[in-house]
Amino acid sequence: MEPLPGTSGCWLEAPHAYGEHVMLSFEVPAAPVGLLAADVARARVQGDRRLAPELTGEVELHSSFVGGGRMRFWLVAPTDELGTQAVADGLDAVLRELAGQGPAEDEVRRAARARSERLDTADGRHGLLLAAGLDRLSGQEVLDDPAVRARLASAGTDDVRAALADYAATALLTLPAHCAPGPDSPFVPEPDRFGQGLHEAYAYRPRLFGPAGRRERMYLGDEGLAHWTGFCHHLVRWHQVAGLGVFPSGRRILYGELGAVIDIQADWYKSGGDLIAAVDTRVPPSLRFPMSEGEPI
C-alpha cells in the first residue's frame, strides 16, 4: 500500500458483505506515538456526542504495517442506513480536529496508560515482538519494552498532533454499498491505482461473477502482480518478493517485502493455471516454500 495522492482524502464503496459499517483509515508513524495517536482517535470517536446517536455498537480499531516506517489504522464504526452519512462526516471531523488542534493532555495520558498496561498482556507482548521484527527487517529503530513505555510516558499533545499531520493526505473513507459522501465532503473518489502501479499487465477475471467477485481482478505484468478485490488493492513487485507459498492443490500465496499478501487459487480465475505458471516462472526457486492448507504464517 502506498500513501494516497492529494490532500483531501479519498473514498470508495465497500461490498455488500461488510454491511452497514463506515471505515476510515489513515497513516501514522510506526512508533509508540503513532499507536498512541490511533488510540486517542478511537477514544475521541467513541465518546463524540455527534456520533453517539448514530452508532449501533463499539468502534473497532485495526492496523497494518505498510512499510517505510509507517502504519495504517482503520476505525470501523457500526451504524445503520440512516446514520451512514452522519458517521462518515463525524469520523472525518474528529480526525481533522485532532490533526489540526491536537488532543487534550488528559486524553493522551489515559491512552498512554492503557497502551502501557496492554504490554503486560500476552497480546501486547506478541504485538511488541512482531513490531520489533518488522522494524529490524525495514531498518527502523528497534525498541524493547522499557523503551516503548518510556516513549509512551513522554509523549504529549504536540507529539500526537504531529503523528496525525498526514491524515488528510492518507485518509481513506469506505462506505457501505450504494452510499457516497455528501456534496460538501472533502473526499474524492479513489483514483485508478493500476495506472500508478503497473504500466501494462494481463487481466485475469473470476470464473463466477457473484456479488463477492464481480469486480475482482488479478493483474500480472513484467513489473509485478496486483490484486484488486473490488474494494482493496494489493501490489507485489517481482524485485520485492519475500516468498511464495506453494500448496499441493496448486494454490499459491505471494508475500511482498512491504507487507502485501496475494492469495492465488487457480480454480477461481479464468485461465487460472496460466496465471499460476506465470507467477512460478517469475519467482526464484530459493524463495518458494511448501505450505499445507490451514497452516498459519
Side-chain angles (χ1 to χ4, degrees), residues 80-171:
D80 53 31
E81 185 175 356
L82 297 178
T84 298
Q85 191 56 59
V87 170
D89 292 342
L91 289 175
D92 180 55
V94 168
L95 265 297
R96 291 184 190 273
E97 289 169 2
L98 288 173
Q101 305 167 17
E105 183 65 31
D106 63 318
E107 291 181 288
V108 178
R109 297 276 64 83
R110 282 197 299 269
R113 283 195 300 271
R115 176 64 64 171
S116 184
E117 291 171 358
R118 201 173 308 166
L119 292 174
D120 296 325
T121 67
D123 287 343
R125 289 191 294 271
H126 178 270
L128 181 62
L129 180 63
L130 174 63
L134 291 170
D135 287 343
R136 185 176 296 278
L137 285 174
S138 59
Q140 304 294 320
E141 180 185 17
V142 180
L143 301 177
D144 57 13
D145 189 305
V148 172
R149 294 180 190 274
R151 296 284 178 89
L152 292 172
S154 63
T157 59
D158 290 339
D159 299 307
V160 171
R161 181 175 59 202
L164 293 169
D166 292 334
Y167 164 73
T170 62

Side-chain angles (χ1 to χ4, degrees), residues 38-54:
D39 290 341
V40 169
R42 181 197 173 278
R44 174 77 72 91
V45 164
Q46 189 66 55
D48 191 275
R49 294 181 179 179
R50 297 165 294 185
L51 286 165
E54 312 297 343

Side-chain angles (χ1 to χ4, degrees), residues 230-247:
F231 70 99
C232 188
H233 175 257
H234 307 273
L235 171 64
V236 175
R237 299 186 184 277
W238 299 124
H239 70 279
Q240 294 178 325
V241 172
L244 179 66
V246 179
F247 292 80

Side-chain angles (χ1 to χ4, degrees), residues 191-271:
D192 179 5
R193 286 174 170 245
F194 305 120
Q196 303 171 28
L198 303 178
H199 293 89
E200 184 175 330
Y202 290 100
Y204 294 85
R205 302 184 179 191
R207 295 178 183 274
L208 301 176
F209 285 84
R214 183 176 295 114
R215 295 188 296 172
E216 181 162 333
R217 298 289 187 274
M218 196 77 75
Y219 292 85
L220 184 142
D222 292 336
E223 298 162 285
L225 182 71
H227 183 206
W228 173 250
T229 67
F231 70 99
C232 188
H233 175 257
H234 307 273
L235 171 64
V236 175
R237 299 186 184 277
W238 299 124
H239 70 279
Q240 294 178 325
V241 172
L244 179 66
V246 179
F247 292 80
S249 63
R251 175 186 174 194
R252 302 287 189 269
I253 298 184
L254 186 67
Y255 296 90
E257 292 178 351
L258 299 181
V261 178
I262 300 180
D263 192 341
I264 316 164
Q265 302 195 49
D267 58 356
W268 177 252
Y269 296 95
K270 296 179 180 179
S271 302

